[in-house]
Structure formats: structure tokens, C-alpha cells
């Protein structure tokens, strides 16, 4: 029998400075948290008027774009490696009603934009947010009963209709953010029925919490609920259990990819979902309130912008995010380019 002697120098095993004294060594220890353009998805707001750029006050540096202006905005980003976008439609003059008719009408900005984006940027993967709130008169994410509660069956029927309309316009990915029960299965079935199932991925907003960080987005997308809140369909911030059940539900219904949202306040959920479903690409959405918070903190010099944002992006990757959805994507692409030149 070999007698393993207690190593007198055992303490040397945990002297960490020897692992991190130059950039290459530090990189070896952080490979899994590296960022490339493929780890990023860029959210974009598209409006009815093709020739307009509307800056969004609550999200300094972010604008809503008409489709022609969006072409100019995206061109340099695609050259820098941008590989995917997440599109949100915003309507102003088109009427809103109880069914969200213009979520899937021919005048919908997304339905008009997708074929053009496909032809201008053949390498770009296009995801479309699927929801009713920007198009309903009441601003809720589903269809309501007369008493104001959610009619889940009517809602998922409508959501699946909208998903097919976006797929038929050319979306590679449909991303339902409505949080209704059973929508993933319904969308999958409807895509299949219209022979779109094999060429449309479903990215589920799986663990989407009823968060205080969506304020600027509702301003941007003009999707503030007219009454009440979204707590009856979005998850309570304290519940890991419901997040895991939502993931189990969406996986069983055939989701292709899963999302956790918001990001920074839900890193533990992100990690649990990645660990429970390592077979699935996991997305994290750094939402509008997180964007605004970082922007303002940096502007007030409470933090250094690049240091703080980079650290947060690393935390998403470390917790298990494969793809980060971020309004900061343009500046992050610049950083990635610069780094690759060093
Ligand atoms: C609406 C939707 C929201 C976001 C994406 N889709 C907000 C909400 O639920 O009210 C939030 C995105 C952000 O804050 O950046 N279905
Ligand atoms: Zn919604």
C-alpha cells in the first residue's frame, strides 16, 4: 500500500497570485465567460413611420426606428459581427383594440420590416417578440374576460396566430413574452400546421418576473397597462419554484431556447435553469431598467462605465447565460473588436 504523506507544502496549492499575474494566465481562468458577437442579441424598436428616428427619453442612447433608418443603424453593427436582433413593434396611429388586431395585420411594423431586414442582412438572425400589450387598448399581454381577468385560452390562440404571422413574414425566431400558460405548445402546433415548424425556433420568455425594471421599456413600446399590473401572469420575484416549473412546462411543450429576465437581480435563477437544462441555450435579458440604471450611474461617475458593464456581462456568462440580450450591444461590439486587435 502506498502511503500518501501529508505534503509539507500543501499551503502552496492555494496561493492564487501565481495563477493571475499576467493577461494570458487570467484569460485561461476565465475562458468560459468570454464574449463574442454570437453571445449577443440586440433589441430594437420599430415604428410605423419608415423615415423617423425617435430618441427614447427614459433610455438615453436608445431610439425607436423607422425601417429605412434602421437599415443605416444596423449596417455598421452587422459589419462588426452582430448576429441577431430581437424586434419590438410600436404603434402610434394604428388603433389599439381588445384583441390586439394590429399585432398581426399587414400594417404591423414588424411584419413590414422583417422581409426587408432579411434581404438587406442575409446573415442576421431575426427574432420577433410576440405579445399583445403594445397592441391592446388595455395594454395587457393577453385577452381579457369582461371582469378584467385573463382569458388564457383566447390569449394563447391569439398569441399562436401572431407567432405564425411573424414566421410567415420571415422571422427565424418567435419569442413569446406574454407569459400565458400553454403558449409554447400552442405556437409549436400552429407553426407546424402552417409548415413553418422546421424553420422557426421558439425562444420562450420562460422565467419572466413581475419586475420594477421594465418601466423604461413600457415607455419605449407604449405598452403600459391601462389598469392593474402584470402580477397575475408574470412570476413573483421570490419564487424559484415557479421559475423552475415554468422552465419544465416550456421544455415539455417544445421550446427551443429559454430566457431569464431581468438579468442582474435573477442570476441565481439563471444558474439554476442552466444547470437543470444544460441541453438548452439559455438567454438572459438585461432589461430597460438595468440599462437606465447603468447609464445613469456611469453618467454620475458613481461607476466607470466599461468596467461596471463588463463585470455585469461576465456575471451573466458565469451564471450560465449563452446569449445576453442587451441594449448596450453596439458598444459591446466595439469593445470586442478592439480586444481582438490587441
Ligand atoms: C412585454 C415585454 C416587456 C419587456 C419585454 N416584453 C415588459 C413588460 O412585461 O411589461 C421588458 C423589456 C425591458 O424592460 O427591456 N411583453
Ligand atoms: Zn406583453
Amino acid at each position: 500500500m502506498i502511503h500518501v504523506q501529508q505534503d509539507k507544502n500543501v499551503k502552496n496549492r492555494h496561493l492564487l497570485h501565481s495563477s493571475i499575474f499576467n493577461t494570458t494566465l487570467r484569460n485561461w481562468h476565465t475562458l468560459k465567460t468570454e464574449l463574442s458577437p454570437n453571445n449577443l442579441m440586440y433589441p430594437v424598436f420599430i415604428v410605423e413611420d419608415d423615415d423617423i428616428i425617435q430618441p427614447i427619453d427614459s433610455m438615453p442612447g436608445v431610439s425607436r426606428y423607422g425601417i429605412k433608418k434602421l437599415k443605416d443603424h444596423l449596417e455598421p453593427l452587422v459589419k462588426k459581427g452582430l448576429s441577431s436582433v430581437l424586434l419590438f413593434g410600436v404603434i402610434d396611429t394604428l388603433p389599439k383594440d381588445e384583441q390586439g388586431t394590429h399585432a398581426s395585420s399587414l400594417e404591423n411594423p414588424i411584419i413590414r420590416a422583417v422581409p426587408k431586414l432579411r434581404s438587406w442582412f442575409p446573415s442576421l438572425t431575426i427574432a420577433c417578440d410576440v405579445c399583445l400589450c403594445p397592441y391592446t387598448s388595455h395594454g395587457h399581454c393577453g385577452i381579457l374576460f369582461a371582469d378584467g381577468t385573463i382569458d388564457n385560452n383566447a390569449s394563447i390562440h391569439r398569441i399562436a396566430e401572431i407567432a405564425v404571422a411573424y414566421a410567415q413574414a420571415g422571422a427565424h425566431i418567435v419569442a413569446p413574452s406574454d407569459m400565458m400558460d400553454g403558449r409554447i405548445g400552442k405556437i409549436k402546433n400552429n407553426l407546424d400546421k402552417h409548415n413553418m415548424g422546421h424553420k422557426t425556433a421558439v425562444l420562450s420568455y420562460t422565467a419572466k418576473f413581475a419586475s420594477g425594471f421594465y418601466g423604461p421599456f413600457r415607455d419605449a413600446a407604449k405598452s403600459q397597462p391601462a389598469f392593474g399590473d402584470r402580477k397575475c401572469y408574470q412570476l413573483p420575484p421570490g419564487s424559484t419554484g415557479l421559475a423552475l416549473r415554468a422552465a419544465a412546462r416550456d421544455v415539455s411543450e417544445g421550446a427551443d431556447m429559454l430566457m431569464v429576465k431581468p438579468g442582474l437581480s435573477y442570476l441565481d435563477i439563471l444558474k439554476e435553469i442552466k444547470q437543470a437544462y444544460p441541453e438548452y441555450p439559455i438567454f438572459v435579458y438585461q432589461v430597460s431598467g438595468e440599462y437606465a440604471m447603468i447609464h445613469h450611474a456611469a453618467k454620475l461617475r458613481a461607476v466607470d462605465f466599461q468596467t461596471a458593464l463588463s463585470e455585469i456581462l461576465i456575471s451573466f456568462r458565469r451564471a450560465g447565460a449563452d446569449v445576453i440580450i442587451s441594449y448596450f450591444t453596439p458598444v459591446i461590439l466595439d469593445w470586442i473588436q478592439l480586444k481582438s486587435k490587441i
Side-chain angles (χ1 to χ4, degrees), residues 43 45 59 88 129-134 141 177-178 205 208-209 213-218 223 225 230 233-234 261 285-289 327:
F45 300 99
M59 301 175 73
F88 294 92
D129 182 89
V130 177
C131 203
L132 285 169
C133 57
C141 302
S177 63
D178 54 293
Y205 283 74
K208 174 175 174 182
F209 290 87
F213 289 102
Y214 303 151
F217 173 94
R218 291 177 188 169
S223 63
R230 306 204 202 286
Y233 44 100
Q234 300 181 350
K261 167 188 174 189
Y285 198 149
Q286 182 184 53
V287 300
S288 57
Y327 300 99

Coordinates of all heavy atoms in Angstrom, one line a residue, residues 43 45 59 88 129-134 141 177-178 205 208-209 213-218 223 225 230 233-234 261 285-289 327, ligand 1:
P43 N -31.9 44.2 -28.9 CA -33.3 44.5 -29.0 C -33.5 45.8 -29.8 O -32.8 46.8 -29.5 CB -33.7 44.6 -27.5 CG -32.5 44.7 -26.7 CD -31.3 44.4 -27.6
F45 N -36.6 48.7 -31.4 CA -38.0 49.1 -31.5 C -38.2 49.6 -32.9 O -37.5 50.5 -33.4 CB -38.2 50.2 -30.5 CG -38.0 49.7 -29.1 CD1 -36.8 50.1 -28.4 CD2 -39.0 49.0 -28.4 CE1 -36.6 49.7 -27.1 CE2 -38.8 48.6 -27.1 CZ -37.6 48.9 -26.4
M59 N -34.6 56.0 -21.9 CA -33.4 55.1 -22.2 C -32.4 55.9 -23.1 O -32.4 55.7 -24.3 CB -33.9 53.9 -23.0 CG -34.9 53.0 -22.2 SD -35.5 51.7 -23.2 CE -34.1 50.6 -23.2
F88 N -39.2 44.6 -31.7 CA -40.4 45.0 -31.0 C -41.2 46.0 -31.9 O -40.5 47.0 -32.3 CB -40.1 45.7 -29.6 CG -39.5 44.8 -28.6 CD1 -38.2 44.7 -28.5 CD2 -40.3 44.0 -27.8 CE1 -37.6 43.8 -27.6 CE2 -39.8 43.1 -26.9 CZ -38.4 43.0 -26.7
D129 N -40.3 39.6 -30.9 CA -41.1 39.5 -29.6 C -42.6 39.3 -30.0 O -43.1 39.9 -30.9 CB -40.9 40.8 -28.8 CG -41.7 40.7 -27.5 OD1 -41.1 40.3 -26.5 OD2 -42.9 41.1 -27.4
V130 N -43.2 38.3 -29.3 CA -44.6 38.1 -29.6 C -45.4 38.4 -28.4 O -45.3 37.7 -27.3 CB -44.9 36.6 -30.0 CG1 -46.4 36.3 -30.2 CG2 -44.1 36.2 -31.3
C131 N -46.2 39.5 -28.4 CA -47.1 39.8 -27.3 C -48.2 40.7 -27.7 O -48.2 41.2 -28.9 CB -46.3 40.5 -26.2 SG -47.1 40.3 -24.6
L132 N -49.2 40.8 -26.9 CA -50.3 41.7 -27.2 C -50.2 43.1 -26.6 O -50.8 44.0 -27.2 CB -51.6 41.0 -26.7 CG -52.1 39.8 -27.5 CD1 -53.2 39.0 -26.8 CD2 -52.6 40.2 -28.9
C133 N -49.4 43.3 -25.6 CA -49.5 44.6 -24.8 C -49.2 45.8 -25.6 O -49.9 46.8 -25.4 CB -48.6 44.5 -23.6 SG -46.9 44.1 -23.9
P134 N -48.4 45.8 -26.7 CA -48.2 47.0 -27.4 C -49.4 47.3 -28.4 O -49.5 48.4 -28.9 CB -46.9 46.8 -28.3 CG -46.3 45.6 -27.7 CD -47.4 44.8 -27.1
C141 N -51.0 41.8 -21.6 CA -50.3 40.9 -22.5 C -51.2 39.8 -23.1 O -50.8 38.9 -23.8 CB -49.1 40.3 -21.8 SG -48.0 41.5 -21.2
S177 N -43.5 36.8 -25.1 CA -43.2 37.4 -23.8 C -44.4 37.6 -22.9 O -44.4 38.2 -21.9 CB -42.5 38.7 -24.0 OG -43.4 39.6 -24.7
D178 N -45.5 37.0 -23.4 CA -46.9 37.2 -22.8 C -47.0 36.5 -21.4 O -47.8 37.0 -20.6 CB -47.9 36.7 -23.7 CG -47.7 35.3 -24.1 OD1 -46.7 35.0 -24.8 OD2 -48.5 34.4 -23.7
Y205 N -39.7 33.3 -23.3 CA -39.5 34.1 -22.1 C -40.0 33.2 -21.0 O -41.2 33.3 -20.6 CB -40.3 35.4 -22.1 CG -39.9 36.5 -23.0 CD1 -40.0 36.5 -24.4 CD2 -39.4 37.7 -22.4 CE1 -39.6 37.6 -25.2 CE2 -39.0 38.8 -23.2 CZ -39.1 38.7 -24.6 OH -38.7 39.8 -25.3
K208 N -39.9 35.0 -16.5 CA -40.0 36.4 -16.6 C -40.8 36.9 -15.4 O -41.9 36.5 -15.2 CB -40.8 36.8 -17.9 CG -41.1 38.3 -18.0 CD -41.8 38.6 -19.3 CE -42.2 40.1 -19.3 NZ -42.9 40.4 -20.6
F209 N -40.0 37.7 -14.6 CA -40.6 38.1 -13.3 C -41.3 39.4 -13.4 O -41.0 40.3 -14.3 CB -39.4 38.2 -12.3 CG -38.9 36.9 -11.9 CD1 -37.9 36.3 -12.7 CD2 -39.4 36.1 -10.8 CE1 -37.4 35.0 -12.4 CE2 -38.9 34.9 -10.5 CZ -37.9 34.3 -11.3
F213 N -38.1 46.7 -13.1 CA -37.1 47.2 -14.0 C -37.6 47.3 -15.5 O -36.8 47.4 -16.4 CB -35.9 46.2 -14.0 CG -35.1 46.4 -12.7 CD1 -35.2 45.5 -11.7 CD2 -34.2 47.5 -12.5 CE1 -34.5 45.6 -10.5 CE2 -33.5 47.6 -11.4 CZ -33.6 46.7 -10.3
Y214 N -38.9 47.2 -15.7 CA -39.5 47.3 -17.1 C -40.0 48.7 -17.4 O -40.5 48.9 -18.5 CB -40.6 46.3 -17.3 CG -40.3 44.8 -17.0 CD1 -41.3 43.9 -16.6 CD2 -39.0 44.3 -17.2 CE1 -41.0 42.6 -16.4 CE2 -38.7 43.0 -17.0 CZ -39.7 42.1 -16.5 OH -39.4 40.8 -16.3
G215 N -39.9 49.6 -16.4 CA -40.6 50.9 -16.6 C -40.2 51.6 -18.0 O -41.1 51.9 -18.8
P216 N -38.9 51.8 -18.2 CA -38.5 52.5 -19.4 C -39.0 51.8 -20.7 O -39.4 52.4 -21.7 CB -37.0 52.5 -19.4 CG -36.6 52.3 -17.9 CD -37.7 51.5 -17.4
F217 N -39.0 50.4 -20.7 CA -39.5 49.7 -21.9 C -40.9 50.0 -22.2 O -41.3 50.2 -23.3 CB -39.4 48.2 -21.6 CG -40.0 47.3 -22.7 CD1 -39.2 46.9 -23.8 CD2 -41.3 47.0 -22.7 CE1 -39.8 46.1 -24.8 CE2 -41.9 46.3 -23.7 CZ -41.1 45.8 -24.7
R218 N -41.8 50.1 -21.1 CA -43.2 50.3 -21.4 C -43.4 51.7 -22.0 O -44.3 51.9 -22.8 CB -44.0 50.2 -20.1 CG -44.0 48.7 -19.6 CD -44.7 48.4 -18.3 NE -44.4 47.0 -17.9 CZ -44.7 46.5 -16.7 NH1 -45.3 47.3 -15.8 NH2 -44.5 45.3 -16.5
S223 N -46.6 50.4 -24.0 CA -47.3 49.2 -23.6 C -47.6 49.1 -22.1 O -47.8 48.1 -21.5 CB -46.4 48.0 -24.0 OG -45.2 48.0 -23.2
P225 N -49.8 49.0 -19.0 CA -51.2 48.5 -18.8 C -52.1 49.7 -18.3 O -51.6 50.5 -17.5 CB -51.1 47.5 -17.7 CG -49.7 47.5 -17.1 CD -48.9 48.3 -18.1
R230 N -49.1 43.3 -13.9 CA -49.0 42.0 -14.6 C -48.7 40.9 -13.6 O -48.2 39.8 -14.0 CB -47.8 42.1 -15.6 CG -48.0 43.3 -16.6 CD -47.2 43.0 -17.9 NE -46.9 44.1 -18.7 CZ -47.7 44.8 -19.5 NH1 -49.0 44.5 -19.5 NH2 -47.2 45.8 -20.2
Y233 N -49.8 37.2 -14.2 CA -49.2 36.3 -15.2 C -47.7 36.3 -15.2 O -47.1 35.4 -15.7 CB -49.8 36.6 -16.6 CG -50.0 38.0 -17.1 CD1 -49.1 38.6 -17.9 CD2 -51.1 38.7 -16.7 CE1 -49.3 39.9 -18.3 CE2 -51.3 40.0 -17.1 CZ -50.4 40.6 -17.9 OH -50.6 41.9 -18.4
Q234 N -47.0 37.4 -14.7 CA -45.5 37.3 -14.6 C -45.2 36.8 -13.2 O -46.0 36.8 -12.3 CB -45.0 38.7 -14.8 CG -45.3 39.2 -16.2 CD -44.7 40.6 -16.5 OE1 -44.2 41.3 -15.6 NE2 -44.8 41.0 -17.7
K261 N -35.3 36.7 -17.2 CA -35.5 38.1 -17.3 C -36.2 38.7 -16.1 O -37.2 38.2 -15.6 CB -36.4 38.4 -18.6 CG -36.9 39.8 -18.7 CD -37.9 39.8 -19.9 CE -38.5 41.2 -19.9 NZ -39.6 41.3 -20.8
Y285 N -32.0 38.4 -20.3 CA -32.4 39.8 -20.9 C -32.0 40.8 -19.9 O -32.6 40.9 -18.8 CB -33.9 39.8 -21.1 CG -34.4 40.9 -22.0 CD1 -35.5 40.7 -22.8 CD2 -33.8 42.2 -22.1 CE1 -36.0 41.7 -23.7 CE2 -34.3 43.2 -22.9 CZ -35.4 42.9 -23.7 OH -35.9 43.9 -24.5
Q286 N -31.0 41.6 -20.2 CA -30.6 42.8 -19.4 C -31.7 43.9 -19.8 O -31.6 44.5 -20.9 CB -29.2 43.2 -19.8 CG -28.7 44.4 -18.9 CD -27.4 44.9 -19.4 OE1 -27.1 45.1 -20.6 NE2 -26.4 45.0 -18.4
V287 N -32.7 44.1 -18.9 CA -33.8 44.9 -19.4 C -33.6 46.4 -19.3 O -32.6 46.9 -18.8 CB -35.1 44.4 -18.6 CG1 -35.4 43.0 -18.8 CG2 -34.9 44.8 -17.1
S288 N -34.7 47.1 -19.7 CA -34.6 48.6 -19.8 C -34.2 49.3 -18.5 O -33.4 50.2 -18.6 CB -35.9 49.1 -20.3 OG -37.0 48.7 -19.4
G289 N -34.7 48.8 -17.4 CA -34.4 49.5 -16.1 C -32.9 49.2 -15.8 O -32.3 50.1 -15.2
Y327 N -29.4 46.2 -24.6 CA -29.4 47.5 -25.4 C -28.1 48.1 -25.6 O -27.9 49.0 -26.4 CB -30.3 48.5 -24.7 CG -31.8 48.0 -24.5 CD1 -32.2 47.4 -23.3 CD2 -32.7 48.0 -25.5 CE1 -33.5 46.9 -23.1 CE2 -34.0 47.5 -25.4 CZ -34.4 47.0 -24.1 OH -35.6 46.5 -24.0
Ligands
LIG1 C1 -43.9 42.9 -22.8 C2 -42.5 43.0 -22.6 C3 -41.8 43.7 -21.6 C4 -40.5 43.5 -21.8 C5 -40.3 42.8 -23.0 N1 -41.6 42.4 -23.4 C6 -42.3 44.5 -20.4 C7 -43.5 44.1 -19.7 O1 -43.7 42.9 -19.4 O2 -44.2 45.0 -19.3 C8 -39.4 44.2 -21.0 C9 -38.1 44.5 -21.6 C10 -37.4 45.6 -21.0 O3 -37.7 46.1 -19.9 O4 -36.3 45.9 -21.5 N2 -44.5 41.7 -23.0

